[in-house]
Structure formats: structure tokens, C-alpha cells
Amino acid sequence: MLKAILWSQWKPTRGLVLITSIIAFALPVSSLTITSTLRAQEVTRVMQSYGALYPMLAALTGLLIAMAAWAPDHAGRHTYALSLPVTRSQYAGMRFIAGSAFIGVTAAALLVGTLIVAVAGAIPDGLHVYPVALTFRFALAAMVAYAIFFAISSSTSQTAGVILGVMASILLAQFVLAMMEVDFNLIEKVGEFLAYRPGLFSVFAGRWMLIDA
Amino acid sequence: MRKYVSWAIAIALFAGTAAGAQDIRTQERVVDAAQARVVRAQARVDALNDSIARTMQTFDSLTVGPLRVLVHPRFRTVVEAAARAASAKLVADAPAQVSRLAKVRLVVRPWSDTTEGGLVFLVRPGHNDRMEAYIDSDSATFAHHFVAIGERYLASTIDGRLRMWAGTLLLPDTASDRVWVQYRVDLVSANGVVARNCYGGDVRACMLTLGLTTTTDPVLEWYDAADRRAIIKREMDFRPHGYRVQSEQCLAGDDASCTDVLRQYTEYHRTPVMSDIRESLVSVALQLGGASAYDRLLVASGTPTEQLEAAATVPIDSVVRAWQRRIRDTRTASDAMSLPIAIGSLFWIGLCGALSLRSTRWR
């Protein structure tokens, strides 16, 4: 059954996978063409700039594949799923695994691109290439984004309401703290928790360096 | 003695200023001002004498190894433990020379009567090295300050030629791997081929790069024709009107023009790389020299090369080769991926995945 779901999910996803894979392949290769004439210090600076693009692509990949995973079910009002002799959790699990496999395709494209950079030999003396580490991080980041959006897409209106309620509560709490002149920035703390280790989005933060010292 | 010095300064001030005065009225004003300065200086001397006398009366005196500490009773307990830890570190750094610290006093007193901060400072003639601590600081903080002040005091006795060459106080602590990695990037990114050759393994090039061998013609010795052209090309963006004709001839392939123009840009004649990289060579010399290397460095004299050889107890070539290896081989973990990132991500993937399976309702 997983094979059938893989195939049914592949059809709405393949275009997105193709686009993200092309971008993932092109990113490291294009960075190599820019840095090929630069000195080590400048190369690390360019790589830092490029480093912002990898997490963005990872987030975009996760978002698109997660939305595509549920698109046919939403469009068909879940009749296909309800016709199958499986529980909802089994069905959602297979959808989750199928989407993860498609993220693997984009990650593989990135790996090929980064390996080309590594073997091209155009890296300045004193610097090193980290193709596997960067690709692994990309895959994890894309999976985190995918898991978040997959959970949101599969959730009920009630769950979406709970999430919105939590966000509104934080805003309200911050407003109350400000009214009471309490010197505590709750929104900043929540943001720090989410963005820094071990926060939900921490994998996206920090330096993404394909070439570094 | 202080009074005589104060008067001497006042007389010098008076004489120097009065000589420039144009008329009697101006001279009178100068004399008045000088007298006022003398009065203020004398008041400061009196206050200092009074302060020292009161400090000696009210402070506890501690002797821990080479450290002599005057401490306000409020800080005594924590400072005693700190002094023991600091003493151990300083003795390990420079077992023979650390006794020099007995000539000076570390003083720990409250910052003021109204705040709770503590102030650590070193007293020695003509010098006041101070660092802040706080009443709730633990002994590790005080120990850190004692070590820092003690090391700075010891390092200040290093032969001036080596300090001038390194451009910094030379402390026994070594740089972190991340700093070494940055040195490598600086070296391979240098404008001059000499630095890149140094990274490539050429010891003579390293001697030039590190300023251990002096050069009479940096334009020709540090840079090759491609470097010179690249520098001129870059400079033309910043100084489009400077040496325009020669610069254009340079870019057209005339290396003599490149050389002539580069001779005018003196900022390229100072050092082929940032001079703080030199500190790393001292660090390698100390490592090669073993436990008493810093002791030897503190009393060594001669050229920087001779002092480094004295510390390392090996010829400078060996020091430079060891430094080259360290520059080339030091690696830091990649920022691209780490175990905590992987574990954190897997946790969130698992959590979100589990939440998506949990719902029993079809939308």
C-alpha cells in the first residue's frame, strides 16, 4: 500500500521536487563559479551570503512537499483515504514517509552539487569543503519544515484553533506584562527558544557553510 | 620626594609656559595657573598618602605563594581561595620568574562606600592595573583577575624588541583553534605571494612574512607581478585620480609601472599579513620550550629571533616549521552540522510527525 501511496503522492509532487532539486543542485555549483577567482577570505564571505539560501530552500522544500502531500485528499474530501482498509494514523504515517522520500530526492540533488564543488578543486588553499555535512543539515531542516507543515495540514480546525490560541495568548501575556510595567520580553524569549538550540527552528539558524576554514 | 617632584614639575610647567607668554599680564596668569596646579597636585599627594596609610591600617594582608594581597576584610574569605588558585597558575606559567610578583601588591577593596562592587588592582610605582569584580563574585572570578594582572605584570618585563615585534603583551596562554584557523585564512588571503608561499611550506617566506627577516624592498620581495597588478587594480577603484597614467600602464601589463605605483602606497610596505599572527609564533615557541619556556622568554634578550630561540630551545627554523604545521593542520568542527543540531531536529521531526498521526478525525 505504501507503494500505491508513494505513486499517488508523486504525481502532484514531482513538479515541485524537480524545481527544488534543480535549485538545490544549482546553488553550490553557482557559488563555485563566483568564488573560483577569489581569495580565501572573500570565499568565506561569499559562502556566508550563500549560506542564507540553503535554509530558505530547505524550508520551501518542506512546505511545498507537505502541502502537496495532503492536496489530493483535501481536493477529494478524503474519499480515497476512507476507501482504504487502514486507520487514519496508518494512512497519515504512509503519507509522511512518502513525502520524506521526496525530500530525499532534493537532498540528493544538493549532495551531487556539493560533491561537484568538492571535486572541482577550485577551493583556495587553507579552506575545506563540507558537502556531506551541509547536505545532511539541509535534509534535516527540510524534514523539520516538512513535519511542521505536514502536521498543520493534517490537523483539524480545532488544532489550528489551539495553535492560534497559543499565539494569541503569548501576545496577550506580553501586553499584560507591559501594562504592569514588568520588564520581561516574553515574545523575545519565545522567539529565542524557537530559534536557538534546542528550539524548533534552531536547525535553520547559524552558519551554513559549504566551504569554510 | 613627591613634594620635590611636584615642585619640579610646577617649575618646568611655569618655565615652559612662561617662555611663551607675550606680556606681563599673560605671565601673571600663567604663574597663577601653575600655582593652582601645584596646590591641587599637593592635595592629591596628601590624599594618596592618607589613603595608603588608611589602607594599610584597615586592610588584611595575605601572602600566598608569590602573591602579596591587601584585602578589605569583606572580601577576605573569597580572596584567600582565589589567591591560592591564581598562585598555582602563575607558578605553573613561570616557576622561576614568578617571584618578581613579590615586589608588588594586589589590592582588593570595595568599589565605593555606596556600591557593592569590588575592585582589584595592582600597585607598583608608576603603574595602576585595575579590574572590577563584584561583592558576589566567586573566588574563580577573583582568581581570574589575579592571574590576568599577574601575567600582564610579568609580561611587561619581556625585552622590548620582542614586544615591539609582536605588537602585544605576550602572555603564556595559547590561542584557541578557532583563532588558529583565522590565522590560516589571513595567511592564504594575504595580498603578497610571500605569505602564500609561507603557507605552502617555504620557511624563508615565513621569516619574511612574520617580520623575523627584514626586507629592504617589500614591493619586490613580498609581492609578485600578479599581486602588484591586482593591488593597483583594486586601488584604482578607491583612488581613481591617483597615479592614473602609471596605473593604467600597470594594468596594461607594464610591471615597472606597477612597482613604481606600489612604492607610493606605503600601507603595503608595513607587513604582508596582520601582525597579530606573530603572537601565534610565540605561542608555538613556548609549547616547544616546555614547562620553563615562559621563564626563559621573560629574561631573554636580543633580536626577536634570538628570544624565540631562547624560549623554544630550538633553532628558529624548527619553530617556524612547527608553526607552519599548526597553521595548516588546525581544524575546527564544521558549523554546517553538529550532533546537537541532528538530535534537536530529529526530536522535532518525531514530535510533529507523531502529532500529525494523533488526530482521529478526517477533515
Side-chain angles (χ1 to χ4, degrees), chain B residues 54-276:
Chain B
R54 277 191 291 116
T55 300
M56 298 296 284
Q57 283 169 4
T58 58
F59 278 38
D60 292 346
S61 179
L62 292 174
T63 300
V64 182
L67 297 178
R68 307 282 182 272
V69 188
L70 288 173
V71 55
H72 189 278
R74 194 201 291 178
F75 296 100
R76 184 184 170 112
T77 310
V78 72
V79 161
E80 199 163 4
R84 274 196 295 274
S87 169
K89 168 81 168 79
L90 290 164
V91 168
D93 285 343
Q97 298 301 318
V98 75
S99 58
R100 290 183 187 182
L101 284 170
K103 295 176 190 163
V104 295
R105 297 288 179 276
L106 286 161
V107 178
V108 181
R109 66 165 173 78
W111 176 256
S112 73
D113 292 337
T114 53
T115 58
E116 295 216 312
L119 186 67
V120 180
F121 64 99
L122 178 77
V123 176
R124 64 171 160 138
H127 188 84
N128 187 0
D129 199 352
R130 47 197 272 173
M131 295 178 119
E132 286 177 49
Y134 292 91
I135 190 73
D136 58 351
S137 294
D138 54 12
S139 68
T141 306
F142 278 105
H144 171 78
H145 288 347
F146 289 164
V147 169
I149 289 176
E151 283 181 344
R152 288 213 295 258
Y153 174 71
L154 291 174
S156 67
T157 64
I158 290 175
D159 187 290
R161 278 167 289 185
L162 187 66
R163 278 190 286 141
M164 283 284 286
W165 168 80
T168 180
L169 272 178
L170 295 164
L171 304 177
D173 291 330
T174 55
S176 69
D177 282 354
R178 204 162 273 281
V179 174
W180 277 94
V181 165
Q182 189 52 51
Y183 288 148
R184 178 168 70 232
V185 174
D186 290 346
L187 198 62
V188 296
S189 306
N191 287 317
V193 69
V194 68
R196 301 193 296 275
N197 287 344
C198 168
Y199 179 77
D202 183 344
V203 173
R204 188 183 163 277
C206 287
M207 300 286 280
L208 276 167
T209 301
L210 294 165
L212 293 170
T213 306
T214 53
T215 174
T216 51
D217 194 349
V219 172
L220 293 180
E221 284 200 74
W222 293 352
Y223 307 103
D224 62 14
D227 292 335
R228 287 189 283 272
R229 199 161 47 252
I231 292 170
I232 301 303
K233 187 171 186 299
R234 201 165 54 243
E235 286 296 327
M236 277 190 78
D237 294 335
F238 295 107
R239 311 182 214 199
H241 304 299
Y243 314 103
R244 188 180 184 88
V245 176
Q246 278 180 298
S247 295
E248 282 170 355
Q249 287 171 344
C250 164
L251 296 188
D254 179 11
D255 187 47
S257 298
C258 297
T259 305
D260 287 344
V261 178
L262 197 51
R263 286 194 203 288
Q264 309 306 318
Y265 295 152
T266 53
E267 65 268 34
Y268 290 100
H269 307 173
R270 289 175 197 138
T271 168
V273 288
M274 297 285 283
S275 59
D276 57 357

Side-chain angles (χ1 to χ4, degrees), chain A residues 39-41 74 78 81-82 87-89 91-93 96 125-128 130 133-134 136-137 140 143-144 147-148 150-158 193 197-200 203 207 209 212-213, chain B residues 178 181-182 184-186 188-192 196 199-200 234 328 330-338 340-350 352-353 355-363:
Chain A
R39 288 180 298 181
Q41 233 160 22
H74 291 167
H78 303 280
L82 288 165
T87 61
R88 185 199 175 279
S89 60
Y91 181 77
F96 190 84
D125 265 353
L127 298 184
H128 302 94
Y130 300 96
L134 185 80
F136 190 45
R137 185 170 183 178
L140 284 175
M143 278 298 297
V144 168
I148 293 167
F150 186 90
I152 291 170
S153 295
S154 68
S155 68
T156 60
S157 306
Q158 187 185 353
F193 171 74
R197 207 168 295 152
L200 181 59
V203 68
R207 298 167 84 227
M209 298 291 280
D212 203 358
Chain B
R178 204 162 273 281
V181 165
Q182 189 52 51
R184 178 168 70 232
V185 174
D186 290 346
V188 296
S189 306
N191 287 317
R196 301 193 296 275
Y199 179 77
R234 201 165 54 243
R328 292 187 71 91
T330 301
R331 294 283 295 266
T332 52
S334 162
D335 285 333
M337 193 61 217
S338 67
I341 290 176
I343 292 171
S345 302
L346 290 172
F347 169 77
W348 289 112
I349 292 165
C352 292
L355 286 174
S356 65
L357 306 184
R358 196 178 150 271
S359 173
T360 56
R361 293 178 58 192
W362 299 98
R363 291 207 309 177

